[in-house]
Amino acid sequence: MCFKITGVAVSLALLAAAPASAQTTITIWSWNVAASALKSTLEGFNKANPDIKVDVQDLGNNQVYDKALAACAAGGEGLPDIVTVENFEAEVFWSRFPDCFTDVKALGYTPEKQALFPEFKRTELEVDGVAYAVPWDSGPVAVFYRRDFYEKAGVDPATIKTWDDFIAAGKKVMEANPGVVMTQADFNGDSEWFRMISNEQGCGYFSTDGQSITINQPACVATLEKLKQMKDAGIITAAIWDEKIQANTAGKVASQMYGGWYEGSIRSGSPDLSGKWGVYPMPSLTTDGPRAANLGGSSLAISSVSQNKEAAWKFVDYALTTNEGQVMMLKSFGLVPSLLSAVNDPFVKEPQPYWGGQAVWTDILATLPKIKPSRGTAYQSDAEGIYRAVQTKYLAGGYPDAKTALDDAAKQIESATGLPAAQ
């Protein structure tokens, strides 16, 4: 008996003296729904990685951008292990501070893993052979529409293949539903519609190699012309974000075109309209033209100053390159995966009750491989500000035609950036 007691005592003493298993803590800067989505993956991640604690900090979108830029300017001082970076602003970081973030290819982002994502998502994240970040969510564009308003007008969305079809349908929908507008756009404060349609048509502010200005090329000119035709036809009216949400709930708008992430905005903002909304592909300029574009999306980048790069990569790898991680974020918070394999996930194929039993995620994600790359470059904010001012002036009749308007935009962007306008 004494021997057994002594043995237990020795064993307890040895256990007490043994060091606790080391736990690594990695910190992530993110914002709002994106931060919440990352947190939703932690239970699954920690089952396989109990020794890694993940601290997701919700700082707000502008705060993350401003703080990250300031930290990069200070040589990385103060950066967390992982930073959420919007694709729209990504190249501002890479071009100004190429040493601020780790080339994730050195951590395990192999060619096989890179191939899991569509080219358009990788274009702005992989520059000059360096992979600065891993694609996260995306914004494959779709038209969200009120089934009841369209049906009352006798409009079948399957017949809307071109923007001219959309205009004709809009007139019918508005006539059959007094007080309802076909769709809305933020004409004064955003370039959303121009960017969506021009991306669909393979045009953007800059060439895909980032070396020239292409905003005045024929596809972009045709886009701006069509936008004005829609406005002049009265089927599209000006509205900011909050006004669109209010119009959705009040039943004052028949359609909204946005990236796939807008699904959650409608469903959460207008819960009483369950079953009345549906989704169809964005129209094109021609009957057999492309019908895919992207608006929005972000990535995760690992800072060069991180002392926990391997642990940080383990989390990024789980959250972004596996269906388990990406689809969890889609289920929980509606973040649309960039991962091509997600379209085959059982949840993605499920009919969604809010959307009238339509398997909306299958329809939305099916467009991912068809989206054309678009470069933001380091001068995205310069080009964006110039375009918005030109758009406002053109839609108000301040230019004789769209070509003149976009030639002016190209000239201004050329002066601001030093890049040449494509011939």
Side-chain angles (χ1 to χ4, degrees), residues 69-393:
L69 277 182
C72 285
E77 184 178 350
L79 280 176
D81 299 287
I82 300 172
V83 179
T84 305
V85 180
E86 280 194 277
N87 273 49
F88 190 63
E89 300 163 336
E91 290 194 76
V92 173
F93 285 97
W94 323 150
S95 60
R96 293 186 191 176
F97 310 107
D99 299 324
C100 197
F101 294 100
T102 303
D103 183 352
V104 287
K105 290 193 293 186
L107 297 175
Y109 191 44
T110 62
E112 291 75 19
K113 288 187 183 292
Q114 290 171 283
L116 297 174
F117 301 98
E119 183 185 356
F120 85 89
K121 278 294 291 188
R122 295 172 51 196
T123 295
E124 292 179 319
L125 306 181
E126 300 173 23
V127 182
D128 296 330
V130 179
Y132 290 99
V134 178
W136 179 3
D137 63 313
S138 59
V141 174
V143 179
F144 302 88
Y145 77 103
R146 280 288 296 267
R147 295 176 181 274
D148 49 343
F149 291 163
Y150 276 51
E151 288 170 4
K152 189 175 180 181
V155 172
D156 179 357
T159 65
I160 303 176
K161 300 183 183 301
T162 69
W163 288 110
D164 287 339
D165 294 339
F166 187 77
I167 293 172
K171 292 177 179 178
K172 291 182 180 178
V173 168
M174 292 172 65
E175 183 178 358
N177 300 275
V180 174
V181 68
M182 181 61 165
T183 192
Q184 298 171 307
D186 187 353
F187 287 131
N188 299 317
D190 209 319
S191 60
E192 52 195 12
W193 273 70
F194 177 79
R195 283 191 285 129
M196 286 187 281
I197 301 176
S198 62
N199 179 211
E200 172 191 60
Q201 298 302 313
C203 187
Y205 297 163
F206 303 101
S207 58
T208 51
D209 65 5
Q211 300 303 304
S212 61
I213 299 159
T214 54
I215 193 171
N216 59 341
Q217 293 300 294
C220 283
V221 172
T223 294
L224 187 56
E225 286 175 342
K226 193 58 63 178
L227 187 57
K228 191 171 191 301
Q229 287 176 20
M230 285 190 270
K231 181 176 181 293
D232 291 348
I235 66 140
I236 182 170
T237 58
I240 62 174
W241 176 270
D242 289 346
E243 290 171 336
K244 291 180 183 181
I245 297 295
Q246 291 164 10
N248 294 345
T249 301
K252 298 297 184 182
V253 64
S255 326
Q256 297 286 13
M257 186 170 75
Y258 264 124
W261 40 263
Y262 198 64
E263 183 274 343
S265 298
I266 293 178
R267 181 165 42 81
S268 62
S270 309
D272 294 340
L273 297 177
S274 180
K276 293 187 176 181
W277 285 88
V279 173
Y280 64 91
M282 65 186 299
S284 190
L285 291 179
T286 58
T287 303
D288 57 353
R291 301 182 67 181
N294 183 73
L295 184 72
S298 56
S299 59
L300 291 181
I302 298 173
S303 65
S304 294
V305 299
S306 169
Q307 299 299 304
N308 307 299
K309 291 186 179 69
E310 291 184 3
W313 167 251
K314 284 184 179 180
F315 176 74
V316 171
D317 190 29
Y318 171 80
L320 304 189
T321 74
T322 69
N323 276 7
E324 184 179 356
Q326 286 259 16
V327 176
M328 173 57 74
M329 291 188 279
L330 174 65
K331 283 182 183 178
S332 303
F333 293 96
L335 264 69
V336 184
S338 296
L339 197 65
L340 291 169
S341 61
V343 73
N344 298 315
D345 187 86
F347 172 78
V348 169
K349 296 179 179 181
E350 288 179 11
Q352 299 297 321
Y354 184 90
W355 297 92
Q358 183 179 355
V360 293
W361 292 122
T362 295
D363 296 337
I364 291 171
L365 292 181
T367 68
L368 280 176
K370 305 172 186 177
I371 298 170
K372 297 180 176 68
S374 178
R375 284 289 291 276
T377 81
Y379 309 110
Q380 182 69 46
S381 57
D382 298 300
E384 176 72 7
I386 290 167
Y387 170 74
R388 288 183 186 182
V390 167
Q391 173 182 264
T392 299
K393 182 177 177 181

Side-chain angles (χ1 to χ4, degrees), residues 402-416:
K403 182 66 165 68
T404 303
L406 293 182
D407 280 343
D408 184 25
K411 184 177 180 180
Q412 291 185 55
I413 296 170
E414 194 171 20
S415 297

